[in-house]
């Protein structure tokens, strides 16, 4: 949820489905396209890692770094700040398609918020993977202790667009090699307590 309505007078609420099954994600729809509604389908590539056994276990990564692929569908809806969802029923109302995914149940349950996070995103750097495909970098800083405080989390990521749904081999190999190089060079500062930023942001007890 983007609370930029404090300054802009709008509220953006985003619902995301992320899982390894490409076909389930690709055939899911949360809301019909329209004014103030944006839907994105993406392939998310992250480090190959698993959560260790037991509560509070550290993340386990292989000695030889690799990648894991997940697919995500995210729908963002702009609305009046007064329509901020507070119950699961509100989510079903904003995103009618979610009922097909999880079923109509417990809609009276209250939504539980995570920590208040102040995010700063820096964009401009690029890498050329092929003649027509560039990787665009974003450095995201999360501050939990207030705006301008010392960042608690830093994430370096890059995105690139496909060509009519396909990726040339040269670009795919270039992106893969770059991602592996980042893992090797930044291994000493990787968070070994969480498998993703999402897992860190969710309220305790929720799965990432």
């Amino acid at each position: 949820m983007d609370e930029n309505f404090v300054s802009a007078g709008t509220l953006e609420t985003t619902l995301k489905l992320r899982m390894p099954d490409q076909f389930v994600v690709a055939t899911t729809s949360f809301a019909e396209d329209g004014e103030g509604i944006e839907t994105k389908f993406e392939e998310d590539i992250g480090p190959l890692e698993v959560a260790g056994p037991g509560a509070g276990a550290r993340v386990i990564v292989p000695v030889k770094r690799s990648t894991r692929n997940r697919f995500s569908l995210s729908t963002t809806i702009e609305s009046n700040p007064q329509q901020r969802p507070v119950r699961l029923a509100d989510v079903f109302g904003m995103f009618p398609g979610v009922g097909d995914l999880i079923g109509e149940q417990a809609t009276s349950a209250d939504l539980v918020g995570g920590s208040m996070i102040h995010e700063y995103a820096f964009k401009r750097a690029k890498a050329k993977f092929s003649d027509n495909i560039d990787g665009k970098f974003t450095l995201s800083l999360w501050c939990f202790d207030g705006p301008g405080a010392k960042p608690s989390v830093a994430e370096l990521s890059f995105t690139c667009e496909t060509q009519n749904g396909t990726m040339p081999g040269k670009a795919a190999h270039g992106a893969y090699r770059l991602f592996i190089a980042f893992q090797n060079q930044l291994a000493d500062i990787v968070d070994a307590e969480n498998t993703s930023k999402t897992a860190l942001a969710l309220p305790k007890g929720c799965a990432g």
Side-chain angles (χ1 to χ4, degrees):
M1 182 180 300
D2 182 356
E3 298 194 13
N4 66 356
F5 62 86
V6 173
S7 58
T10 60
L11 170 67
E12 291 184 353
T13 303
T14 300
L15 183 64
K16 174 179 283 190
L17 168 66
R18 184 167 59 194
M19 61 188 301
D21 194 311
Q22 174 184 0
F23 301 103
V24 171
V25 178
T27 55
T28 296
S29 175
F30 290 136
E32 296 292 334
D33 291 338
E35 185 177 355
I37 301 177
E38 179 182 25
T39 294
K40 296 180 180 179
F41 175 78
E42 299 174 313
E43 180 184 20
D44 294 331
I45 299 175
L48 178 61
E49 58 189 13
V50 295
R58 295 172 65 83
V59 172
I60 300 173
V61 297
V63 174
K64 184 178 181 180
R65 302 288 177 160
S66 187
T67 62
R68 59 100 179 97
N69 296 49
R70 292 184 293 180
F71 298 88
S72 68
L73 178 84
S74 59
T75 297
T76 299
I77 296 179
E78 294 183 0
S79 62
N80 187 296
Q82 304 302 321
Q83 297 175 332
R84 178 175 180 173
V86 295
R87 294 182 176 83
L88 189 57
D90 299 330
V91 176
F92 278 84
M94 296 182 70
F95 305 94
V98 75
D100 297 331
L101 190 66
I102 66 174
E104 301 280 351
Q105 54 184 328
T107 56
S108 62
D110 292 335
L111 300 180
V112 179
S115 303
M116 176 66 72
I117 300 171
H118 300 270
E119 181 178 51
Y120 301 87
F122 303 89
K123 305 178 181 182
R124 285 192 71 84
K126 294 182 180 180
K128 183 172 288 295
F129 296 138
S130 68
D131 292 340
N132 299 317
I133 295 182
D134 292 336
K136 300 178 181 179
F137 290 83
T138 299
L139 173 63
S140 299
L141 303 179
W142 278 13
C143 302
F144 290 98
D145 298 327
K150 181 179 178 180
S152 302
V153 178
E155 179 191 59
L156 180 64
S157 61
F158 63 84
T159 61
C160 59
E161 296 183 355
T162 60
Q163 295 179 340
N164 297 320
T166 63
M167 176 71 71
K170 179 180 179 181
H173 284 282
Y176 178 82
R177 288 193 297 268
L178 178 61
F179 194 82
I180 297 299
F182 278 154
Q183 290 188 66
N184 291 328
Q185 294 176 17
L186 304 176
D188 293 341
I189 61 173
V190 171
D191 178 13
E193 305 296 335
N194 299 279
T195 57
S196 66
K197 283 199 312 179
T198 301
L200 179 63
L202 289 173
K204 292 187 181 299
C206 294

